[in-house]
Every structure is written in structure tokens, then in C-alpha cells.
Amino acid sequence: MKGGTVGAELLLPLTVAIAAVGSGLGLGKAVGSAMDAMGRQPEAAGKIQTGMIIGAAFIEALTIYALVAVILLK
């Protein structure tokens, strides 16, 4: 194995791991904040939940993009 290949083999999975951790932290904060908002304003729970689901989908999409990029680069 060449030195450059070993670095790429370690960096690509590390990139996905960092993206997954960031996504998990973002999802946790988004869902936690949405739950707090629904607790404070139960009458707006439907609108808050819709916004939370759309935001969670975008956050998950970023992680999937990172995974696809790593698969394509490999």
C-alpha cells in the first residue's frame, strides 16, 4: 500500500463519521427544541411538528450526501 492510499482509506470513513455525528447532534437539538415549543404552545403543535419533520429530512439528507460522496470517491 502506498502512503497516500492509507490516508484516503482512513479519511473517507472518518468524514462520514463526522457527518453522522454532526447530523445526530443537529437532529437532537432540532427535535428537543420542537418538543419544548410544542410543550409551551400545544395549539401550534401541528405547525411545529411539520417544520421539525422538514428540517429533520434536510439534516438527514446532508448525511446521505456525505455517504454518497465518500462511496463515489472510494
Side-chain angles (χ1 to χ4, degrees), residues 4-74:
T5 305
V6 173
E9 289 177 357
L10 292 176
L11 286 178
L12 291 177
L14 185 62
T15 302
V16 174
I18 291 171
V21 168
S23 175
L25 292 174
L27 276 173
K29 184 165 178 66
V31 172
S33 296
M35 293 296 134
D36 286 341
M38 283 189 249
R40 280 185 270 122
Q41 295 180 338
E43 66 275 359
K47 290 182 180 180
I48 294 169
Q49 188 175 15
T50 301
M52 178 192 71
I53 290 171
I54 292 171
F58 283 127
I59 293 170
E60 285 294 326
L62 291 175
T63 305
I64 293 169
Y65 291 152
L67 178 64
V68 169
V70 167
I71 289 171
L72 292 176
L73 290 174
K74 205 167 187 181

